[in-house]
């Protein structure tokens, strides 16, 4: 209970703001780029500090780190919800990410330490289901609160309340786990990962302002890649690497981490894009938007137990492949959505998408956790969660930037005869275009957005297809993969909290 509440707070914090973005644009004046940074500031620091969270658990103890991290998360989340400055909201979201980084891998490490081998796979399934369900519940809960007349920050206060409950449950119920020795807290790799990821995301976000050929786009991307490659090469030579690249020698870990990273990429990008489709293009209220996203939760709720049964019957790798196939089809199905399409199409498509993700999430987490040697289980957990968060951040950045870049290009072409100032304002975002009140602009805005959304959905379908091909090509027989995914070591050495 304590561990599921903790992970629920962390994942709610990553998605609940999506439905508040239009209101934040009106109240705080948050531009499209600022909205992406409000979302990504959280996932960037989350991904960066995951690398050192395991060592902190070694040094301070798992329960203590989980408790202090949850407390810090509750405080920073509550503070973010009462600020009226975009810049300070971004700063506080970044601090939330640092706190979250101490929670997610630590909760998984506690499972690996306290559950016997015969119950470990089931515990991981519950943990993964809580993760997935929280991702999809965020928009629904946030939409209900905003439609009730509460301010945009109220959704973060709800997350803070969940974190507070998790803290109380952690103190009361999580057993103390013996420390495994004082791991070295090396901050240089953390700084390197943050700088590299931030540069990469900055360059991608800049696409909708300058295009791919702009120096402000490609230069940060290249610099970010260079920094990350340098970090990897440095860590390979270190006796206790925080980025344990050697884990990718294990085929099952490579399959699972690729599927989970690319799955997170497309799902978080989808949540970003669908918010604007439902609230701005279709005109649904935040509550209606949240209700229309209930199929996301339904897909995950039904998919979690189904994934376990499927893994037992056909193997984890085949189950993941089936899930990725469903996700690919669901993204292709978005091309059928228009401004006046029956909303049932969206509901069914969303259900299939998250059902597919559920078939990837639990088997992938179990497969990755069990595919590495016991003495490196902590390193595997840290790296896996880092990749998932990196995928989430890049999903919002890449698919969001692609959406608005395509929208801006189409609008500029359609409004070529209008004054430059009006054309630039109309091309910045769908909401800005509709706010102009100009009949020519509003008539062009809807089709331009729908066309951009279709292009993004096809890109997401392609990414899902790449994950599917990787799973099929790299995977061994279903039976061998199943055996590795469901057989976990009887004991996990003390330093596995890393």
């Amino acid at each position: 209970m304590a561990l599921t509440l903790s992970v629920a707070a962390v994942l709610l914090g990553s998605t609940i703001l999506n439905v508040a973005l239009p209101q934040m644009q009106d109240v705080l004046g948050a531009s499209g780029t600022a909205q992406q940074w409000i979302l990504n500031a959280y996932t960037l620091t989350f991904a960066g500090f995951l690398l050192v969270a395991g060592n902190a658990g070694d040094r301070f103890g798992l329960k203590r780190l989980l408790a202090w991290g949850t407390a810090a998360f509750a405080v920073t989340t509550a503070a973010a919800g009462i600020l009226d400055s975009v810049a300070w909201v971004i700063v506080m979201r970044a601090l939330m990410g640092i706190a979250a980084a101490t929670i997610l891998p630590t909760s998984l490490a506690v499972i690996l330490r306290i559950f016997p081998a015969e119950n470990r796979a089931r515990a991981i399934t519950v943990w993964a289901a809580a993760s997935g369900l929280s991702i999809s519940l965020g928009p629904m809960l946030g939409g209900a609160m905003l439609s009730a007349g509460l301010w945009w920050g109220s959704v973060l206060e709800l997350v803070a309340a969940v974190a507070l409950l998790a803290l109380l449950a952690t103190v009361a119920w999580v057993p103390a786990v013996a420390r495994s020795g004082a791991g070295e807290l090396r901050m240089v790799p953390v700084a390197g990962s943050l700088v590299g990821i931030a540069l990469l995301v900055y360059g991608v976000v800049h696409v909708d302002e300058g295009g791919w050929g702009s120096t402000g786009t490609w230069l940060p991307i290249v610099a970010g890649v260079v920094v990350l490659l340098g970090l990897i090469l440095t860590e390979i030579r270190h006796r206790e690497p925080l980025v344990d690249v050697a884990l990718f020698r294990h085929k099952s870990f490579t399959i699972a981490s690729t599927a989970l990273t690319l799955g997170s990429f497309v799902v978080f990008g989808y949540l970003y894009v669908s918010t604007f489709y439902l609230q701005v293009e279709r005109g649904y209220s935040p509550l209606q938007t949240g209700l229309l996203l209930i199929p996301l939760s339904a897909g995950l709720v039904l998919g979690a137990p189904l994934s376990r049964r499927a893994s037992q019957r056909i193997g984890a790798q085949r189950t993941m492949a089936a899930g990725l196939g469903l996700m690919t089809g669901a993204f292709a199905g978005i091309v059928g959505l228009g401004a006046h399409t029956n909303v049932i199409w969206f509901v069914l498509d969303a259900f299939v998408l998250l059902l597919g993700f559920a078939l990837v999430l639990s088997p992938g987490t179990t497969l990755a956790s069990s595919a590495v040697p016991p003495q490196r289980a902590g390193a595997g957990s840290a790296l896996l969660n880092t990749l998932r968060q990196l995928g989430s951040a890049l999903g919002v950045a890449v698919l969001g930037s692609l959406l608005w870049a395509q929208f801006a290009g189409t609008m500029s072409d359609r409004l070529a005869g209008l004054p430059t100032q009006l054309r630039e304002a109309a091309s910045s975002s769908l909401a800005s275009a509709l706010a102009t009140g100009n009949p020519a602009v509003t008539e062009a805005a809807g089709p331009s957005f729908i066309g951009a959304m279709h292009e993004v959905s096809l890109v997401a379908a392609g990414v899902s297809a790449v994950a599917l091909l990787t799973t099929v090509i790299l995977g061994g027989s279903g039976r061998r993969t199943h055996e590795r995914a469901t057989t976990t070591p009887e004991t996990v050495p003390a330093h596995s909290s890393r």
Side-chain angles (χ1 to χ4, degrees), residues 81-251:
I82 60 175
L83 297 171
D84 58 3
S85 163
V86 170
W88 278 108
V89 170
I90 293 174
V91 169
M92 204 56 60
R93 288 278 292 171
L95 294 177
M96 284 174 58
I98 296 174
T102 66
I103 298 173
L104 196 64
T106 305
S107 63
L108 182 56
V110 169
I111 290 174
L112 295 175
R113 293 287 296 276
I114 67 176
F115 281 90
E118 61 272 16
N119 295 330
R120 200 169 295 146
R122 179 174 297 176
I124 291 175
T125 298
V126 173
W127 181 90
S131 300
L133 187 58
S134 300
I135 291 172
S136 59
L137 279 177
M140 183 183 69
L141 295 175
M145 297 179 72
L146 296 177
S147 292
L150 298 175
W151 85 107
W152 68 266
S154 62
V155 299
L156 291 178
E157 304 307 322
L158 172 64
V159 177
V162 174
L164 182 59
L165 291 176
L167 173 61
L168 297 175
T170 296
V171 173
W173 296 328
V174 173
V177 181
R179 301 182 193 181
S180 58
E184 182 184 358
L185 294 180
R186 299 168 50 229
M187 297 307 296
V188 173
V190 175
S193 66
L194 285 174
V195 171
I197 295 170
L199 285 170
L200 195 60
V201 171
Y202 176 83
V204 173
V205 170
H206 191 270
V207 169
D208 61 325
E209 297 181 5
W212 288 104
S214 169
T215 304
T217 298
W218 65 262
L219 185 59
I221 292 176
V222 172
V225 171
V226 170
V227 171
L228 292 175
L229 286 176
L231 172 64
I232 291 172
L233 292 175
T234 301
E235 287 299 293
I236 288 175
R237 296 182 177 91
H238 200 278
R239 66 182 185 278
E240 292 183 3
L242 292 182
V243 184
D244 196 351
V245 182
L247 290 173
F248 289 102
R249 295 174 184 170
H250 299 269
K251 185 173 62 176

Side-chain angles (χ1 to χ4, degrees), residues 106-464:
T106 305
S107 63
L108 182 56
V110 169
I111 290 174
L112 295 175
R113 293 287 296 276
I114 67 176
F115 281 90
E118 61 272 16
N119 295 330
R120 200 169 295 146
R122 179 174 297 176
I124 291 175
T125 298
V126 173
W127 181 90
S131 300
L133 187 58
S134 300
I135 291 172
S136 59
L137 279 177
M140 183 183 69
L141 295 175
M145 297 179 72
L146 296 177
S147 292
L150 298 175
W151 85 107
W152 68 266
S154 62
V155 299
L156 291 178
E157 304 307 322
L158 172 64
V159 177
V162 174
L164 182 59
L165 291 176
L167 173 61
L168 297 175
T170 296
V171 173
W173 296 328
V174 173
V177 181
R179 301 182 193 181
S180 58
E184 182 184 358
L185 294 180
R186 299 168 50 229
M187 297 307 296
V188 173
V190 175
S193 66
L194 285 174
V195 171
I197 295 170
L199 285 170
L200 195 60
V201 171
Y202 176 83
V204 173
V205 170
H206 191 270
V207 169
D208 61 325
E209 297 181 5
W212 288 104
S214 169
T215 304
T217 298
W218 65 262
L219 185 59
I221 292 176
V222 172
V225 171
V226 170
V227 171
L228 292 175
L229 286 176
L231 172 64
I232 291 172
L233 292 175
T234 301
E235 287 299 293
I236 288 175
R237 296 182 177 91
H238 200 278
R239 66 182 185 278
E240 292 183 3
L242 292 182
V243 184
D244 196 351
V245 182
L247 290 173
F248 289 102
R249 295 174 184 170
H250 299 269
K251 185 173 62 176
S252 294
F253 185 87
T254 301
I255 293 170
S257 60
T258 300
L260 289 170
T261 301
L262 295 182
S264 297
F265 177 97
V266 293
V267 166
F268 275 79
Y270 170 83
L271 289 173
Y272 178 81
V273 173
S274 62
T275 297
F276 293 95
Y277 170 69
L278 293 174
Q279 286 189 245
V280 183
E281 171 62 25
R282 299 294 297 260
Y284 291 112
S285 69
L287 176 58
Q288 290 172 321
T289 299
L291 292 175
L292 288 172
L293 291 175
I294 285 180
L296 302 179
S297 302
L300 286 164
V301 169
L302 295 176
L306 177 61
S307 69
R308 179 170 173 79
R309 289 195 293 269
S311 294
Q312 292 172 340
R313 183 177 295 272
I314 64 174
Q317 180 252 322
R318 291 179 180 174
T319 301
M320 292 166 61
L324 291 167
L326 288 176
M327 293 176 69
T328 302
F331 278 115
I334 293 175
V335 176
L337 289 174
H340 305 290
T341 306
N342 192 312
V343 75
I344 297 299
W345 183 282
F346 174 87
V347 169
L348 293 176
D349 194 76
F351 173 80
V352 172
L353 173 62
L354 268 292
L355 177 64
F357 188 53
L359 295 178
V360 175
L361 186 60
S362 180
T365 303
T366 304
L367 183 63
S369 298
S370 60
V372 298
Q375 65 273 19
R376 298 161 70 192
S381 171
L383 181 56
L384 181 66
N385 283 291
T386 298
L387 291 172
R388 281 184 58 190
Q389 293 307 312
L390 177 59
S392 302
L394 288 177
V396 174
V398 173
L399 298 184
S401 295
L402 178 62
L403 175 75
W404 298 124
Q406 180 65 21
F407 174 80
T410 305
M411 289 291 284
S412 295
D413 293 340
R414 294 188 176 194
L415 306 176
L418 296 182
T420 301
Q421 186 175 2
L422 177 61
R423 190 168 65 249
E424 290 178 350
S427 300
S428 62
S429 70
L430 177 60
S432 297
L434 297 177
T436 64
N438 184 289
V441 172
T442 55
E443 183 179 350
S448 297
F449 176 82
I450 294 297
M453 183 181 72
H454 290 168
E455 180 170 324
V456 168
S457 68
L458 290 177
V459 171
V463 173
S464 297

